[in-house]
Amino acid sequence: MQFLENFKPELIVESPGRINLIGEHTDYNMGYVLPTAIAKKIIFKLQKNGSDTHCNIYTLGYDQGFEIDLNTIAKSKIEWQNYILGVLNEISKRTAKLRGFDCTIESNLPTGSGLSSSAALECGLAFGLNELFGLGLSKIEMVELSQIAEHTYAGTQCGIMDQYASVMSEAGHVILLDCRSLERGMIPIDLQPYKIILLNTKVSHNLATSEYNVRKAECEQGISIIQKKYPEVQSLRDVDQEMLTECKAEMNETIRRRCTFIIAENQRVLKMAKALEANNLEQVGKLLYEAHEGISKDYEVSCKESDFLVDFSKSNPQVLGARQTGGGFGGCTLNIVAENAVEGFVTAAAIAYKKAFDIDLEWFEVSPSQGTTARWL
Ligand code: GLA
């Protein structure tokens, strides 16, 4: 693109992906989650270009770019552009201070891998434009507008976890977030002598076209049945297993299993927070395995490749626990592995995975990292 010839970026933004230690699909049920940012990220370089409304965006990884006029923002047929366009649309609704800009995007964060590359794209752009033009948006406003952009332009009816974790995380901590009140606790996490190892199934998902939105609708069906007996209930967050059992006869088997998972998963987040505080790593691992069982059997958002890797990890006593992380239908499994056993574990997993699925397994170590940052150049 032509703008690249005279590109002198003024600002650089680092926008991280996230892992979620536990608490999957609880965010849109107004429950608890326990995510943190990781050091894999999207990097934005930005400059004002002096125009009122003309913007240029170019992504180095795909060697693709596009131009936008801020007066005529509309959905694109090209998927990744919608994350950008949705954010511009939401910012334009909130402030008249946005002007033309040029932006390049680079990334070492795998897409469709359950590590929230979409939230990193949305929030990083919002963060950068806020800084570049002094828009005066607070961090939580940027988180919320990015979530809305995901709903309206990308088509995933997501909760708030990914955007929140990408922006708000602190190194060395996981965030215990109450997705109803948005109250949060920063929990220090020290797993030594264990490491967090991600195994990427390379089964890539697009949540907008997956059953993600179906799961959300199933939870809503569950709530409306429970509300007949318990009108005060607003979300599955307010329901316990006893209440669910009382309403069981009114719901079909699928809806009952979806609700069972969410209620149990919400409890697991609180148990996990306690286990971390007590440095009870055995319990940390046990909760991960329990969670995966629910993800796979009751909530049915796993896939055979993720199930295979979680099962494989069970044969290694040096792995405390594992589960699929993120929205599901593939992506990465998160494994807690003894430091001195990492190499042996990933080598054996790669051989077994190749044999079973003919896919080259990718792996990396992650640790709880800082949320979004911006730096003037
Ligand atoms: C995706 C969504 C999140 C959350 C997770 C599942 O990552 O964007 O809001 O629902 O799935 O926990």
Side-chain angles (χ1 to χ4, degrees):
M1 289 178 80
Q2 214 187 342
F3 85 90
L4 292 168
E5 287 165 21
N6 298 310
F7 189 48
K8 292 197 182 58
E10 300 165 76
L11 186 75
I12 182 161
V13 175
E14 299 196 7
S15 181
R18 64 101 191 88
I19 50 168
N20 184 21
L21 192 58
I22 205 159
E24 231 53 275
H25 295 264
T26 44
D27 60 353
Y28 55 80
N29 285 298
M30 298 298 126
Y32 299 100
V33 290
L34 209 55
T36 175
I38 57 175
K40 290 210 173 273
K41 54 186 84 161
I42 300 181
I43 296 177
F44 297 78
K45 291 182 184 150
L46 295 135
Q47 72 177 10
K48 294 179 195 150
N49 64 15
S51 121
D52 272 349
T53 58
H54 186 80
C55 311
N56 295 301
I57 314 248
Y58 176 75
T59 156
L60 279 82
Y62 296 127
D63 189 17
Q64 276 177 27
F66 67 111
E67 299 174 30
I68 317 152
D69 186 310
L70 293 174
N71 289 328
T72 55
I73 301 168
K75 269 194 210 174
S76 163
K77 289 199 177 77
I78 301 171
E79 200 186 303
W80 71 270
Q81 295 184 359
N82 281 323
Y83 299 104
I84 307 277
L85 294 165
V87 166
L88 294 178
N89 184 46
E90 287 307 316
I91 291 180
S92 303
K93 284 189 205 160
R94 286 163 177 78
T95 167
K97 288 189 190 163
L98 192 58
R99 295 285 180 274
F101 65 90
D102 301 330
C103 172
T104 62
I105 301 170
E106 294 157 70
S107 174
N108 65 3
L109 181 61
T111 55
S113 303
L115 303 177
S116 294
S117 56
S118 51
L121 194 53
E122 294 149 1
C123 295
L125 181 67
F127 209 93
L129 295 176
N130 187 50
E131 192 73 18
L132 193 66
F133 293 106
L135 302 181
L137 298 168
S138 67
K139 281 188 178 183
I140 194 68
E141 281 174 302
M142 292 188 269
V143 165
E144 286 173 341
L145 77 82
S146 296
Q147 182 195 12
I148 297 170
E150 176 106 21
H151 291 183
T152 51
Y153 271 61
T156 306
Q157 298 301 312
C158 64
I160 201 164
M161 169 173 72
D162 301 349
Q163 290 78 10
Y164 196 97
S166 183
V167 173
M168 305 288 194
S169 288
E170 288 175 14
H173 294 76
V174 285
I175 307 174
L176 174 59
L177 178 67
D178 178 333
C179 298
R180 177 181 275 164
S181 66
L182 296 186
E183 271 169 40
R184 64 145 185 247
M186 287 290 179
I187 301 190
I189 173 168
D190 177 9
L191 299 175
Q192 274 190 37
Y194 289 84
K195 300 275 185 199
I196 306 175
I197 303 296
L198 298 185
L199 301 180
N200 188 353
T201 63
K202 298 221 193 120
V203 177
S204 173
H205 63 208
N206 170 348
L207 289 184
T209 52
S210 74
E211 288 219 348
Y212 183 93
N213 294 339
V214 176
R215 290 294 171 280
K216 186 165 186 234
E218 287 168 342
C219 291
E220 280 158 10
Q221 273 184 53
I223 297 160
S224 61
I225 295 168
I226 296 163
Q227 277 172 337
K228 288 190 194 138
K229 199 168 175 66
Y230 292 100
E232 69 279 14
V233 161
Q234 287 171 15
S235 68
L236 287 177
R237 151 77 177 273
D238 305 318
V239 181
D240 61 28
Q241 293 291 357
E242 277 173 23
M243 292 158 77
L244 181 64
T245 307
E246 285 172 39
C247 304
K248 202 169 136 184
E250 318 299 319
M251 43 179 87
N252 71 36
E253 171 69 12
T254 303
I255 302 296
R256 191 186 60 72
R257 279 192 289 123
R258 306 296 189 245
C259 295
T260 300
F261 169 75
I262 295 296
I263 295 167
E265 183 75 351
N266 219 18
Q267 289 307 313
R268 276 191 287 268
V269 179
L270 299 176
K271 287 184 197 161
M272 180 65 92
K274 285 211 174 97
L276 289 175
E277 272 156 2
N279 204 29
N280 183 346
L281 299 186
E282 296 291 329
Q283 171 75 347
V284 168
K286 193 170 154 263
L287 289 166
L288 292 180
Y289 279 135
E290 273 177 34
H292 189 80
E293 190 70 13
I295 284 167
S296 178
K297 304 276 164 29
D298 284 335
Y299 216 63
E300 295 182 279
V301 292
S302 185
C303 61
K304 56 185 186 316
E305 293 84 353
S306 293
D307 288 348
F308 178 89
L309 289 174
V310 172
D311 277 346
F312 181 82
S313 76
K314 289 182 181 163
S315 62
N316 188 329
Q318 304 279 60
V319 182
L320 288 184
R323 68 173 197 86
Q324 180 188 259
T325 189
F329 314 101
C332 292
T333 64
L334 179 157
N335 303 260
I336 310 287
V337 188
E339 198 167 3
N340 58 10
V342 170
E343 214 175 305
F345 170 62
V346 296
T347 306
I351 293 169
Y353 194 64
K354 178 84 180 171
K355 194 166 165 214
F357 300 105
D358 199 21
I359 302 175
D360 292 319
L361 189 67
E362 196 179 73
W363 72 276
F364 34 96
E365 183 190 332
V366 291
S367 50
S369 303
Q370 173 67 36
T372 327
T373 56
R375 181 165 50 87
W376 290 95
L377 295 169

